[in-house]
């Protein structure tokens, strides 16, 4: 009790230290024995588990790497120009085509019966298997098919003629054969590579001009005329057919329609003129057996002598095909041409989704974490939100169609667009409803990530702010949210990745295989959220499994997959870049 | 002092076995900054403060000492109602500032906190520039005038003895500073809105001896200007910087008196045990 005892403390401290030292000394000997005992007991050793974990990781990495390699190999090889082979068959038939793939197969009895004894013996020696090759013979307009299997035993001889061209056309797909005639201004001219190139450039310019007039200007005027028609309907519905106001507004609209009609006609005339001129430059193509096809030169997208290309020319063609793929519209039921509308649709839909999901998810999480009284109700809400993430996405599609498109869109139509009924404006699938549906689908991800990020903001920061006399909202606004921003961004990135890769629900709420117009264009109000759109994910499905001839679609499936993956990776990478910049800004300094 | 000593020794034990608090504080001559009266606090079912009564003198430094878990931080955080953030908190009794009870009805907690600067155990600068950190209390008040903010930054940083080190890097992140600098920045932030009371919860516990010495000098400089309540685990620090010391034990104030008396001739045996290091 008294101060005189204070020297006890250092004394006991000394004995304490001495005690520890002594205990350590006595442990020296048993420690050596224990090591041997441990090594005998396998279950106590971590190595087997370590091997299992490492093996699982390696397997996962191999699977992912293999998947990426396959996609990349097929995707990047597709556009490389390949040689054209002229194949003579033993039957005397001749065909020309690009060999695409091959493999062993088991010929049927009927086929075997017709073969000579030697071939049959060879096949029998090979367990009944023969080898065959799939040729892209193209010329769908002449043959009714694009591909043909050729068995090796049928082949009498293969050559690669220099004068065979691989010709991509605006319609009917590819033509494989020779160019035998060129007509300019109605007169035949000599075919030289220079001349072909020059005339082709001119022809494509005319083609672009016609396309521009018809799609762009005439399309715009059509849209405006349609709008005036709707204005007339609206005036009739709103003001009553007989009323003088309605009459006045109808007369005004009709005058404008007449004006537009006149403009329409001049444009139409201009287009016809170019078209007429275009018709005089023609090209004649001949397939391997001498059947000929004649067409406007402008209908040819690209042509090259497949067997005489130098490496530079091949690279040029490769790049120009890629450029067409990302910058042009699809043709030939999506199996040819580009995917620009789908790229645009995917990006626009994803960004729109982020615009919806970000504020909604963040505000919900803010309330749940910062304001709501934590208790049974909040945990039920949290569990429900987590479960929402597990609902199959097609269910969201059904909900989006039923609630957004039919219920909300139908109401919007009745209130704001009665003049267009029974044609729906918003009362059908469209990019707005699709992104809202996906926002709903991905909002759990954002909520969970935001909550986590908010709860990771150290208490000391909040207290520091509150102690400065900041209100709760000011603390959240200036301290908590900036600090949580990287975490919130992570949630957003996950949501974006999930949303961009989702296809099933979109098929119900607005994705189409071929959209007539982009959701953004030059016609006021410039952004048309009611329009349906194209999507790369759906494009893959459509090209691969819904097209007239899936063999033609397979390469496009891989290319589109490469593009979709690239797009998602790019979007995520930029989001991650932004997040890391934020993170660096708010990095907590350790001292 | 002699009278205080006699009172302590003659106070008979109470019937409930709880020793009454012994008071012998030094007067600051300017009245009291905070008047804590019969203050009780419960975290849910557990009572963390029992019948606490202290009169914090204006302009003086008051130290709170006591073993870990005795309620020092709880008491300190009750003074600017930082404990409001805790779920299931209940209080009774009063804490008076200028005669009004801060737990009374209709008190503006935000206005109250603006009158009390607080410095925490671990430096907690915000992830902003030094300038923005110091001006934060003003900016949340809606003050945006550059000249006022500039003046405040210089005044607060000078008060926190940080001006010379920080003047050239005002617009760089506060997180790039050393721990000691960060803590002084937090002090600057606490004095930026010119509060009446400074509450410090073990401000030096994360710092090295040199940084600690700087903060202690700073407290000595700020003495008189502000009323300071400081929680500390270091007896020597309490002895060096404070005028009055309150010794707490198990949620009670055991002894509250002039620092030199508490450390040399305490009136209560338990205080003596603690300051001589026999328990705690
Ligand atoms: N938020 C809280 N909820 C419930 N109990 C709490 C809470 N904060 C503190 N306590 C309890 O109140 C008592 C006093 O805690 P307090 O933090 O005031 O101690 P302290 O004196 O500051 O200790 P130290 O010196 O270790 O900081 C402790 O028993 C602690 O467990
Ligand atoms: Mg404490």
């Amino acid at each position: 009790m008294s101060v005189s005892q204070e020297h006890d403390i250092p004394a006991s401290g000394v004995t304490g230290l001495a005690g520890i030292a002594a205990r350590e000394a006595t442990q020296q000997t048993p420690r050596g024995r224990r090591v041997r005992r441990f090594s005998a007991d396998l279950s106590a050793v971590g190595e087997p588990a370590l091997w299992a974990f490492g093996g699982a990781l390696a397997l996962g990495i191999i699977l992912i790497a293999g998947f990426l390699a396959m996609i990349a190999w097929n995707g990047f090889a597709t556009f490389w120009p390949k040689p054209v082979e002229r194949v003579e068959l033993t039957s005397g038939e001749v065909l020309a085509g690009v060999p695409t793939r091959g493999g062993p197969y088991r010929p049927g009895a009927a086929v075997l019966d017709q073969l000579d004894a030697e071939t049959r013996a060879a096949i029998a020696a090979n367990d009944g298997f023969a080898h065959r090759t799939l040729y892209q013979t193209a010329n769908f307009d002449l043959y009714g098919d694009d591909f043909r299997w050729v068995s090796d035993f049928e082949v009498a001889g293969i050559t690669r003629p220099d004068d065979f061209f691989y010709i991509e056309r605006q319609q009917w797909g590819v033509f494989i054969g020779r160019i035998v005639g060129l007509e300019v201004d109605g007169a035949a001219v000599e075919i030289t590579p220079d001349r072909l190139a020059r005339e082709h450039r001119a022809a494509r310019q005319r083609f672009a001009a016609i396309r521009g007039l018809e799609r762009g200007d005439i399309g715009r005027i059509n849209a405006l005329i349609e709008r005036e028609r709707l204005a007339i309907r609206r005036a009739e519905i709103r003001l009553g057919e007989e009323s003088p106001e309605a009459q006045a507004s109808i007369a005004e609209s009709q005058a404008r329609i007449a004006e537009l009609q006149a403009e329409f006609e001049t444009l139409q005339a201009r287009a016809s003129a170019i078209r007429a001129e275009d018709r005089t430059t023609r090209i004649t193509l001949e397939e391997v057996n001498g059947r000929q096809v004649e067409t406007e030169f402008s209908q040819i997208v690209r042509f090259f002598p497949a067997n005489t290309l130098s490496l530079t020319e091949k690279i040029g063609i490769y790049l120009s095909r890629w450029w067409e793929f990302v910058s042009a519209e699809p043709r030939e039921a999506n199996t040819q041409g580009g995917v620009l509308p789908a790229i645009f649709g995917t990006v626009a839909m994803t960004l729109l989704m982020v615009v919806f999901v970000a504020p909604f998810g963040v505000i919900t999480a803010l309330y749940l974490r910062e304001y709501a009284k934590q208790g049974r109700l909040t945990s039920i809400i949290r569990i429900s939100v987590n479960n929402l993430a597990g609902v199959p996405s097609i269910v969201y599609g059904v909900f989006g169609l039923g609630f957004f498109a039919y219920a909300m869109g139908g109401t919007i139509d009745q209130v704001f667009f009665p003049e267009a009924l029974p044609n729906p404006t918003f009362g059908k699938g469209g990019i707005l409803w699709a992104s809202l549906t996906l926002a709903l689908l991905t909002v759990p991800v954002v909520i969970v990530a935001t909550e986590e990020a908010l709860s990771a903001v150290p208490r000391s920061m909040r207290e520091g702010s509150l102690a400065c006399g900041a209100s709760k909202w000011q603390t959240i606004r200036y301290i908590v949210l900036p600090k949580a921003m990287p975490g919130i961004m992570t949630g957003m990135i996950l949501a974006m990745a999930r949303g961009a890769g989702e296809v099933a629900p979109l098929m119900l709420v607005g994705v189409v295989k071929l959209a007539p117009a982009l959701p953004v264009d030059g016609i006021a109000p410039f952004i048309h959220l009611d329009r349906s759109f194209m999507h790369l994910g759906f494009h893959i499905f459509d090209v691969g499994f819904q097209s007239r001839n899936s063999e033609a679609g397979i390469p496009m499936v891989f290319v589109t997959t490469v593009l979709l993956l690239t797009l998602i990776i790019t979007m995520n990478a930029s989001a991650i870049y932004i997040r890391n910049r934020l993170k660096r800004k708010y990095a907590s300094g350790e001292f | 002092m002699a009278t205080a000593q006699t009172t302590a020794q003659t106070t008979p034990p109470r019937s409930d076995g709880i020793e009454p608090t012994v008071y012998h504080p030094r007067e600051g001559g300017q009245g009291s900054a905070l008047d804590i009266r019969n203050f009780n606090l419960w975290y849910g079912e557990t009572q963390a403060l029992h019948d606490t009564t202290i009169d914090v003198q204006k302009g003086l430094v008051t130290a709170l000492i006591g073993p870990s878990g005795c309620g020092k931080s709880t008491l300190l955080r009750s003074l600017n109602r930082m404990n409001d953030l805790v779920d299931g908190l209940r209080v009774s009794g009063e804490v008076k500032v200028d005669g009004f009870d801060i737990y009374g009805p209709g008190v503006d907690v935000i206005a109250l906190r603006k009158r009390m600067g607080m410095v925490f155990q671990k430096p907690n600068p915000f992830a902003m520039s030094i300038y923005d950190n110091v001006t934060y209390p003003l900016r949340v008040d809606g003050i945006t005038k550059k000249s006022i903010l500039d003046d405040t930054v210089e005044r607060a940083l000078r008060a926190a003895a940080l001006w010379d080190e920080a003047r050239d890097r005002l617009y760089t992140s506060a997180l790039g500073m050393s721990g000691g600098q960060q803590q002084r920045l937090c002090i600057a932030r606490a004095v930026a809105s010119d509060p009446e009371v400074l509450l410090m919860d073990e401000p030096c516990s994360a710092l090295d001896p040199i940084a600690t010495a700087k903060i202690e000098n700073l407290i000595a400089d700020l003495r008189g200007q502000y009323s300071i309540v400081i929680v500390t685990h270091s007896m020597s620090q309490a002895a060096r910087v404070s005028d009055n010391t309150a010794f707490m034990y198990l949620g009670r104030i055991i002894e509250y008196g002039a620092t030199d008396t508490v450390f040399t001739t305490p009136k209560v045996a338990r205080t003596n045990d603690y300051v001589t290091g026999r328990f705690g």
Side-chain angles (χ1 to χ4, degrees):
Chain A
M1 280 284 165
S2 79
V3 191
S4 64
Q5 282 174 343
E6 65 186 342
H7 64 270
D8 275 4
I9 298 149
S12 71
V14 169
T15 48
L17 279 178
I20 290 167
R23 240 175 289 135
E24 222 145 36
T26 53
Q27 276 177 350
Q28 291 294 325
T29 28
R31 204 180 281 160
R33 246 181 289 133
R34 219 178 282 152
V35 171
R36 244 175 290 131
R37 210 166 11 133
F38 271 151
S39 64
D41 188 354
L42 193 66
S43 70
V45 183
E47 273 77 14
L50 187 64
W51 279 102
F53 298 155
L57 176 67
L59 193 67
I61 290 176
I62 289 170
L63 283 177
I64 290 174
F67 163 76
L68 286 180
M70 184 194 78
I71 301 269
W73 170 251
N74 283 296
F76 286 112
T78 296
F79 287 148
W80 189 254
K82 293 170 200 76
V84 170
E85 291 181 352
R86 179 177 182 277
V87 185
E88 271 176 57
L89 303 182
T90 45
S91 62
E93 212 182 317
V94 179
L95 61 91
V98 177
T100 53
R101 63 196 168 94
Y105 81 114
R106 199 188 277 271
V111 179
L112 286 174
D113 283 348
Q114 289 171 357
L115 298 176
D116 59 63
E118 202 182 317
T119 323
R120 238 187 334 231
I123 291 174
N126 201 15
D127 293 334
F129 281 100
H131 190 272
R132 62 179 179 177
T133 308
L134 184 66
Y135 279 93
Q136 183 200 7
T137 54
N139 307 2
F140 190 85
D141 41 344
L142 297 178
Y143 304 162
D145 206 348
D146 273 324
F147 288 86
R148 170 153 179 198
W149 282 106
V150 176
S151 304
D152 286 2
F153 55 74
E154 288 180 280
V155 177
I158 296 180
T159 53
R160 291 185 175 179
D162 286 349
D163 58 349
F164 269 43
F165 277 78
Y166 189 93
I167 300 158
E168 294 166 30
R169 295 177 293 181
Q170 201 66 40
Q171 275 163 9
W172 293 112
V174 176
F175 191 95
I176 292 178
R178 289 195 297 271
I179 297 176
V180 290
L182 177 62
E183 221 178 80
V184 178
D185 296 331
V189 298
E190 195 196 348
I191 302 173
T192 62
D194 272 356
R195 188 72 198 250
L196 275 177
R198 202 165 66 230
E199 293 302 335
H200 185 241
R201 218 172 301 127
R204 288 306 279 175
Q205 270 164 11
R206 285 193 297 273
F207 182 84
I210 295 169
R211 174 68 60 113
L213 276 174
E214 287 181 343
R215 283 282 176 83
D217 300 337
I218 296 181
R220 188 175 51 84
I221 287 177
N222 276 337
L224 292 177
I225 289 177
E226 180 58 23
R227 188 170 298 166
E228 292 302 334
R229 288 221 178 89
L230 289 176
I232 293 175
R233 272 295 288 146
R234 187 164 48 223
E236 283 172 2
I237 294 171
R238 295 261 160 86
L239 307 169
E241 251 166 85
E242 248 77 280
S243 74
E245 297 101 311
Q247 294 300 333
S249 119
I250 289 172
E252 204 176 302
S253 288
Q254 264 156 354
R256 230 168 299 150
I257 288 180
E259 230 169 79
L260 288 165
Q261 203 85 43
E263 203 179 328
F264 177 85
E265 252 123 55
T266 50
L267 287 170
Q268 190 85 22
R270 207 185 311 157
S272 304
I274 304 177
R275 205 181 274 285
E277 186 200 342
D278 188 51
R279 265 197 293 273
T280 61
T281 302
R282 310 183 70 80
I283 187 166
T284 310
L285 310 174
E286 185 185 88
E287 57 94 69
V288 65
N289 290 310
R291 287 160 77 187
Q292 294 195 342
V293 172
E294 202 212 10
T295 173
E296 290 94 25
F297 203 2
S298 61
Q299 288 292 309
I300 309 291
V301 177
R302 184 184 293 108
F303 61 97
F304 52 87
N307 295 331
T308 60
L309 290 176
S310 67
L311 183 65
T312 344
E313 284 166 333
K314 281 185 182 173
I315 292 174
I317 289 164
Y318 182 74
L319 294 179
S320 92
R321 278 172 164 179
W322 265 109
W323 174 244
E324 185 196 0
F325 183 67
V326 297
S327 69
E329 296 187 0
R331 53 196 154 79
E332 286 302 288
N334 291 355
T335 59
Q336 304 245 314
V339 292
L340 182 66
I343 298 176
F344 188 88
T346 309
V347 173
M349 194 270 304
T350 309
L351 293 184
L352 207 55
M353 176 198 81
V354 171
V355 166
F356 290 128
V357 80
F360 187 65
V362 171
I363 288 171
T364 309
L366 260 184
Y367 184 80
L368 259 184
R369 174 61 57 185
E370 302 286 332
Y371 287 98
K373 196 169 151 48
Q374 304 299 314
R376 186 184 290 267
L377 189 62
T378 47
S379 19
I380 290 177
I381 291 175
R382 279 203 187 93
I383 293 170
S384 313
V385 166
N386 281 320
N387 281 339
L388 269 186
V391 173
S393 53
I394 191 78
V395 175
Y396 284 95
V398 174
F399 175 79
L401 185 68
F403 179 71
F404 290 133
Y406 291 163
M408 278 174 66
T411 316
I412 291 175
D413 279 358
Q414 269 164 20
V415 176
F416 296 105
F417 306 101
E419 64 276 8
L421 288 172
N423 286 345
T425 309
F426 277 96
K428 58 170 175 46
I431 193 164
L432 176 67
W433 303 140
S435 30
L436 273 176
T437 305
L438 283 196
L440 208 60
L441 179 90
T442 51
V443 80
V445 180
V446 178
I447 292 180
V448 170
T450 307
E451 273 214 76
E452 230 139 73
L454 290 176
S455 59
V457 175
R459 225 184 123 88
S460 63
M461 288 246 169
R462 297 160 193 265
E463 289 186 341
S465 167
L466 290 171
C468 285
S471 68
K472 182 161 187 171
W473 169 242
Q474 286 172 323
T475 302
I476 291 174
R477 168 77 188 69
Y478 297 123
I479 308 296
V480 177
L481 271 185
K483 185 91 179 153
M485 207 33 103
I488 297 176
M489 287 288 294
T490 304
M492 222 74 85
I493 291 165
L494 290 174
M496 218 164 83
R498 168 117 204 253
E502 199 62 68
V503 178
L506 297 179
M507 287 157 62
L508 299 183
V509 288
V511 157
V512 289
K513 60 187 292 172
L514 193 62
L518 294 179
V520 174
D521 62 17
I523 303 166
F526 308 116
I527 297 173
H528 309 273
L529 295 180
D530 57 317
R531 287 194 185 159
S532 42
F533 62 104
M534 292 177 70
H535 187 273
L536 283 172
F538 183 71
H539 195 81
I540 294 174
F541 173 69
D542 179 62
V543 167
F545 307 99
Q546 305 278 292
S547 62
R548 126 174 94 88
N549 143 9
S550 60
E551 200 62 58
I554 288 174
M556 291 304 262
V557 167
F558 285 112
V559 183
T560 315
T561 307
V562 167
L563 189 69
L564 179 58
L565 289 182
T566 315
L567 202 68
I568 291 177
I569 291 171
T570 314
M571 285 199 281
N572 281 357
S574 31
I576 289 171
Y577 173 74
I578 296 172
R579 180 191 65 186
N580 288 352
R581 283 195 49 171
L582 283 176
K583 223 183 233 166
R584 224 173 307 133
K585 192 165 161 203
Y586 294 110
S588 75
E590 283 307 325
F591 37 88
Chain B
M1 272 196 215
T3 43
Q5 201 163 352
T6 34
T7 359
Q9 277 161 352
T10 53
T11 314
R14 262 164 41 169
S15 54
D16 53 6
I18 295 169
E19 308 154 43
T21 313
V22 177
Y23 293 99
H24 50 89
R26 179 185 291 169
E27 300 284 333
Q30 302 175 46
S32 65
L34 285 161
D35 196 0
I36 307 164
R37 256 175 222 279
N38 304 105
F39 189 73
N40 293 287
L41 182 143
W42 291 264
Y43 288 119
E45 291 306 305
T46 11
Q47 186 163 8
L49 293 179
H50 298 262
D51 209 21
T52 325
T53 302
I54 297 184
D55 203 5
V56 175
Q57 292 295 308
K58 210 172 253 182
L60 297 192
V61 178
T62 306
L64 293 179
I65 60 170
S68 183
C70 68
K72 306 180 295 291
S73 299
T74 302
L75 178 59
L76 192 76
R77 294 160 57 87
S78 301
L79 303 182
N80 64 348
R81 292 189 58 171
M82 285 305 280
N83 277 330
D84 287 13
L85 304 177
V86 179
D87 275 341
L89 185 93
R90 209 148 47 81
V91 299
S92 76
E94 27 183 52
V95 177
K96 282 190 171 165
V97 176
D98 285 348
F100 76 90
D101 182 10
I102 65 168
Y103 282 93
V107 168
D108 181 355
V109 179
I110 291 175
L112 169 77
R113 289 191 187 134
K114 282 177 184 146
R115 300 175 60 175
M116 312 245 178
M118 190 164 203
V119 180
F120 296 81
Q121 181 168 357
K122 219 183 130 201
N124 58 352
F126 306 134
M128 318 167 169
S129 67
I130 296 174
Y131 185 93
D132 287 347
N133 260 283
V134 178
T135 54
Y136 186 79
L138 279 73
R139 286 183 297 128
V140 298
D141 240 357
I143 298 171
T144 50
K145 210 165 158 211
K146 184 99 169 72
S147 60
I148 298 179
L149 295 182
D150 286 347
D151 290 350
T152 306
V153 169
E154 182 167 350
R155 174 180 59 77
L157 286 177
R158 276 191 197 284
L162 194 59
W163 177 246
D164 293 331
E165 283 152 271
R167 62 188 306 169
D168 296 327
R169 47 190 285 199
L170 286 179
Y171 299 99
T172 61
S173 170
L175 301 178
M177 298 200 296
S178 79
Q181 290 173 327
Q182 289 188 4
Q183 192 63 306
R184 276 180 284 150
L185 178 66
C186 291
I187 295 176
R189 190 174 70 192
V191 300
S193 57
D194 212 8
E196 293 148 40
V197 183
L198 260 187
L199 307 172
M200 300 178 151
D201 195 349
E202 300 179 42
C204 302
S205 64
L207 304 182
D208 70 8
I210 296 174
T212 302
K214 279 193 180 158
I215 304 265
E216 285 178 9
N217 289 338
L218 186 55
I219 293 172
D221 290 344
L222 296 175
R223 182 180 174 275
Q225 222 173 326
Y226 303 100
S227 315
I228 299 175
V229 183
I230 177 170
V231 171
T232 175
H233 269 144
S234 156
M235 300 304 127
S236 53
Q237 183 172 69
R240 280 195 297 272
V241 302
S242 68
D243 300 292
N244 284 320
T245 298
F247 170 60
M248 291 183 74
Y249 182 64
L250 294 182
R252 290 188 165 76
I253 308 278
I254 303 296
E255 181 167 354
Y256 173 51
T259 297
D260 43 8
T261 318
V262 169
F263 280 96
T264 52
T265 50
K267 310 285 182 275
V268 182
R270 212 190 286 282
T271 315
N272 187 33
D273 289 352
Y274 184 73
V275 299
T276 55
R278 201 152 317 120
F279 87 100

